Amino acid sequence: MPSVLITGATSGFGKAAAQRFAQSGWSLILTGRREERLKALEEELSKQVPVLTLTLDVRDSDAVTKALGELPEQFLPLTCLINNAGLALAPEPAQKVDLKDWHTMIDTNITGLVNVTHAALPLLLANDEGASILNLGSVAGQWPYPGGHVYGASKAFVQQFSYNLRCDLLGTGVRVTDLAPGMAETEFTLVRTKGNQEASDALYRGTTPLQAEDIAEQLYYLATLPAHININRLEIMPVRQAWSPFNINRDPE
Ligand SMILES: NC(=O)C1=CN([C@@H]2O[C@H](COP(=O)(O)OP(=O)(O)OC[C@H]3O[C@@H](n4cnc5c(N)ncnc54)[C@H](OP(=O)(O)O)[C@@H]3O)[C@@H](O)[C@H]2O)C=CC1
Ligand SMILES: O=CCS(=O)(=O)O
């Protein structure tokens, strides 16, 4: 039975991915900080497949290394790692941001992802049938926009780290993809605005954002491609999202 480790399974893409992989009979290792949500998901999905939940903050490298070092044999070797835990904070301009918010994004989206990857690599390399690392990047890692500052930069790290991992993993059978979604309706904007439900609702109102299930389907597709194929980067936007022209600062007339 193939097994997938999903970080940030308590909400959004991670939760939808857990449900999608369970539907196809994969064993699940689900992580996140909110234990109650993990337990609820375990109760739902353990009727279908073996489920292990780990209440874990990806920023805590010791806890990550210990938890992944003690995985039960039943879940090993790993077939897929989905590095999904992440967040954006501080939609305001860089010059108005609280430095703590920049640190939180760097600690979660970069250090957290690196912590989990480092601990999971031996478990993936032990899979003779090949394995996948699917990293949640973002369109923000490729395209700048106002208020993107450290969030976009952290996702640019995810892209380059994914590519560099591919170089080192050449010949091992472990593939790596940077999956880069555009606007998707999850708790992402609620987190970014620190709980402003109205702002979150307003962003998604009157348009057709991606849904968590859309991304879960892409994750499943990437994880089940024939073993000789590596999609390096997959960027997905809603049809109703596109780029804007450059902004120009002009003298008053
Ligand atoms: N929604 C969007 O428009 C887009 C999102 N993304 C990326 O996709 C990923 C998932 O986002 P999405 O599902 O939308 O957002 P959600 O806010 O719905 O989910 C984020 C998940 O990350 C987990 N998480 C956050 N911080 C930590 C931490 N320190 N340790 C462990 N888990 C953590 C949360 O769990 P808990 O709080 O329980 O720890 C939660 O399960 C993120 O990396 C995001 O940057 C990329 C492109 C577009
Ligand atoms: O990563 C999230 C998508 S966006 O807010 O940067 O468009």
Side-chain angles (χ1 to χ4, degrees):
M1 184 182 267
S3 66
V4 58
L5 164 59
I6 304 174
T7 66
T10 56
S11 169
F13 301 162
K15 181 177 177 185
Q19 291 164 329
R20 178 63 189 86
F21 281 73
Q23 192 188 312
S24 294
W26 287 52
S27 301
L28 307 172
I29 304 157
L30 307 177
T31 81
R33 292 166 300 177
R34 286 170 287 181
E35 190 165 8
E36 276 177 28
R37 288 190 182 206
L38 283 177
K39 289 298 164 202
L41 200 54
E42 180 177 4
E43 194 175 327
E44 173 192 332
L45 299 179
S46 58
K47 293 174 191 132
Q48 295 169 252
V49 291
V51 180
L52 177 72
T53 55
L54 302 171
T55 307
L56 207 54
D57 187 325
V58 293
R59 294 172 293 180
D60 184 343
S61 65
D62 290 342
V64 167
T65 304
K66 186 168 184 301
L68 299 201
E70 294 172 351
L71 290 182
E73 280 300 318
Q74 184 191 2
F75 293 88
L76 297 174
L78 277 182
T79 316
C80 183
L81 162 64
I82 302 181
N83 271 319
N84 166 75
L87 80 174
L89 292 170
E92 56 270 17
Q95 57 273 29
K96 296 194 173 160
V97 170
D98 184 333
L99 179 60
K100 275 194 209 135
D101 287 340
W102 277 0
H103 284 167
T104 302
M105 288 188 275
I106 292 167
D107 293 348
T108 309
N109 301 352
I110 298 180
T111 308
L113 183 139
V114 162
N115 289 340
V116 176
T117 305
H118 191 268
L121 266 174
L123 314 178
L124 294 156
L125 287 164
N127 197 327
D128 294 334
E129 292 176 17
S132 308
I133 300 175
L134 307 180
N135 291 329
L136 261 297
S138 166
V139 293
Q142 184 88 357
W143 312 107
Y145 59 77
H149 41 78
V150 163
Y151 177 66
S154 73
K155 293 303 186 178
F157 173 91
V158 172
Q159 178 182 321
Q160 195 62 19
F161 182 55
S162 302
Y163 290 0
N164 284 339
L165 272 177
R166 285 222 58 222
C167 296
D168 291 343
L169 294 171
L170 185 68
T172 67
V174 179
R175 58 187 168 196
V176 189
T177 300
D178 171 40
L179 174 61
M183 182 172 65
E185 188 172 6
T186 62
E187 292 179 15
F188 178 81
T189 303
L190 196 61
V191 172
R192 192 175 214 171
T193 58
K194 300 196 173 151
N196 187 338
Q197 187 67 57
E198 176 46 36
S200 176
D201 292 345
L203 182 71
Y204 304 122
R205 194 179 300 136
T207 188
T208 316
L210 298 169
Q211 297 297 319
E213 292 71 23
D214 300 326
I215 298 306
E217 199 55 48
Q218 297 307 313
L219 287 164
Y220 186 72
Y221 160 73
L222 291 166
T224 54
L225 281 166
H228 66 288
I229 299 176
N230 196 116
I231 294 184
N232 300 328
R233 182 168 186 275
L234 181 55
E235 183 177 299
I236 307 172
M237 281 187 185
V239 171
R240 299 182 74 184
Q241 180 181 28
W243 308 270
S244 287
F246 288 120
N247 288 318
I248 312 292
N249 173 238
R250 296 186 192 282
D251 295 333
E253 299 212 342

